[in-house]
């Protein structure tokens, strides 16, 4: 294991009518981060929420790290908005930036950790040019745009190859996985090289969320 495992519940699956309470509940249940899936109905075929939600959670008293996944194009304006709203880390898709290094630098200049997101069909070779600047790689194990999709099994090989590339560069970055992660496959995903696990419906859609979180950590620590 390279880094302490982190479970980041995606608020996309939460009840937005009582979002502050929902986030408090999963954090009290043992989750360490809060994950934002930000969609613009342009880069992906869905529309979710903007930086006001991030500000609102901070004002509500949420102090846990907020991990923002930008599925938007272009990205730079949204990077600035979320950084100012209280984001801790910001990840974006290379296809959505005209100048990847410039966008990476912008995230860092604004005081956030930075990640690059790889879609199922995005080659990992793109990381060769920027991995030294990254804090995290987010591997999409579904095609982005909708919650509740099934995990794509070939993502396991991609996770392994990204971890091998990080080791080659002597870079102990976080490898996060988003899409279809649940209590039944989380151990397999960890064994492939991931240490950060975005979980949406596998937590928020469960009747006993604390138990669902405990089951996930039980698998990770087995």
């Amino acid at each position: 294991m390279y880094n302490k495992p982190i479970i980041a519940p995606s608020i996309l699956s939460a009840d937005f009518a009582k979002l502050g309470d929902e986030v408090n509940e999963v954090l009290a249940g043992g989750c360490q981060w809060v994950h934002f899936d930000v969609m613009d109905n342009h880069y992906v075929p869905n529309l979710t929420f903007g930086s006001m939600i991030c500000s609102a959670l901070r004002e509500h008293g949420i102090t846990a790290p907020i991990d923002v996944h930008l599925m938007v194009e272009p990205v730079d304006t949204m990077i600035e908005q979320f950084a100012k709203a209280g984001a801790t880390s910001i990840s974006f898709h290379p296809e959505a930036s005209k100048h990847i290094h410039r966008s990476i630098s912008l995230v860092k200049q604004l005081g956030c950790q930075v990640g690059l997101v790889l879609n199922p069909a995005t080659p990992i070779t793109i990381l060769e040019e920027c991995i030294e600047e990254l804090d995290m790689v987010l591997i999409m194990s579904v095609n982005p745009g909708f919650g509740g999709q099934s995990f794509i099994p070939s993502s396991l090989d991609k996770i392994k190859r990204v971890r091998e590339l990080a080791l080659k560069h002597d870079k102990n970055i976080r490898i996060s996985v988003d899409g279809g992660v649940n209590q039944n496959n989380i151990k397999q995903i960890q064994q492939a090289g991931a240490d950060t696990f975005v979980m949406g419906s596998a937590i928020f859609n469960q009747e006993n969320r604390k138990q669902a979180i405990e089951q996930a950590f039980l698998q990770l620590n087995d």
Side-chain angles (χ1 to χ4, degrees):
M1 197 63 209
Y2 301 93
N3 294 301
K4 180 181 177 181
I6 283 176
I7 293 178
S10 170
I11 64 169
L12 189 62
S13 297
D15 182 348
F16 272 71
K18 47 182 180 180
L19 183 59
D21 292 339
E22 296 266 290
V23 172
N24 279 330
E25 181 183 351
V26 295
L27 290 174
C31 293
Q32 305 102 312
W33 290 7
V34 182
H35 184 83
F36 277 45
D37 286 307
V38 182
M39 307 180 194
D40 65 354
N41 200 32
H42 177 65
Y43 178 71
V44 291
N46 199 359
L47 182 66
T48 56
F49 44 78
S51 60
M52 288 178 62
I53 300 295
C54 187
S55 297
L57 285 180
R58 289 302 190 205
E59 291 169 7
H60 181 72
I62 300 299
T63 59
I66 292 179
D67 177 39
V68 176
H69 171 199
L70 293 178
M71 289 170 269
V72 303
E73 184 182 9
V75 299
D76 289 0
T77 300
M78 295 297 283
I79 286 171
E80 293 187 38
Q81 290 181 13
F82 272 93
K84 292 176 181 176
T88 308
S89 55
I90 299 175
S91 299
F92 66 92
H93 292 254
E95 298 91 345
S97 173
K98 289 185 178 180
H99 305 284
I100 295 171
H101 276 107
R102 184 173 293 163
S103 297
I104 290 172
S105 297
L106 178 60
V107 176
K108 297 176 80 171
Q109 288 167 11
L110 291 167
C112 298
Q113 292 192 320
V114 62
L116 206 62
V117 190
L118 303 183
N119 285 332
T122 303
I124 70 169
T125 50
I126 198 165
L127 297 175
E128 289 276 8
E129 306 303 325
C130 58
I131 195 167
E132 297 293 341
E133 305 298 320
L134 299 176
D135 300 295
M136 180 168 62
V137 175
L138 173 56
I139 296 173
M140 293 301 297
S141 43
V142 299
N143 287 294
F146 298 94
Q149 299 183 69
S150 297
F151 183 87
I152 297 174
S154 60
S155 304
L156 293 171
D157 178 65
K158 194 166 203 171
I159 296 165
K160 291 177 184 176
R161 289 186 287 125
V162 171
R163 179 58 72 190
E164 289 169 358
L165 180 64
L167 289 172
K168 173 185 170 184
H169 285 263
D170 196 27
K171 186 79 174 172
N172 189 21
I173 58 175
R174 283 203 166 270
I175 296 180
S176 180
V177 180
D178 184 358
V181 180
N182 58 48
Q183 290 80 358
N184 295 323
N185 61 20
I186 194 169
K187 185 63 178 181
Q188 194 176 15
I189 295 168
Q190 180 190 43
Q191 290 172 334
D195 51 35
T196 307
F197 310 88
V198 177
M199 301 178 72
S201 56
I203 291 177
F204 280 110
N205 290 6
Q206 306 309 307
E207 185 174 347
N208 190 328
R209 293 169 176 174
K210 188 175 189 298
Q211 185 178 69
I213 295 165
E214 289 173 349
Q215 288 175 347
F217 275 117
L218 188 64
Q219 294 295 320
L220 292 173
N221 296 321
D222 186 16

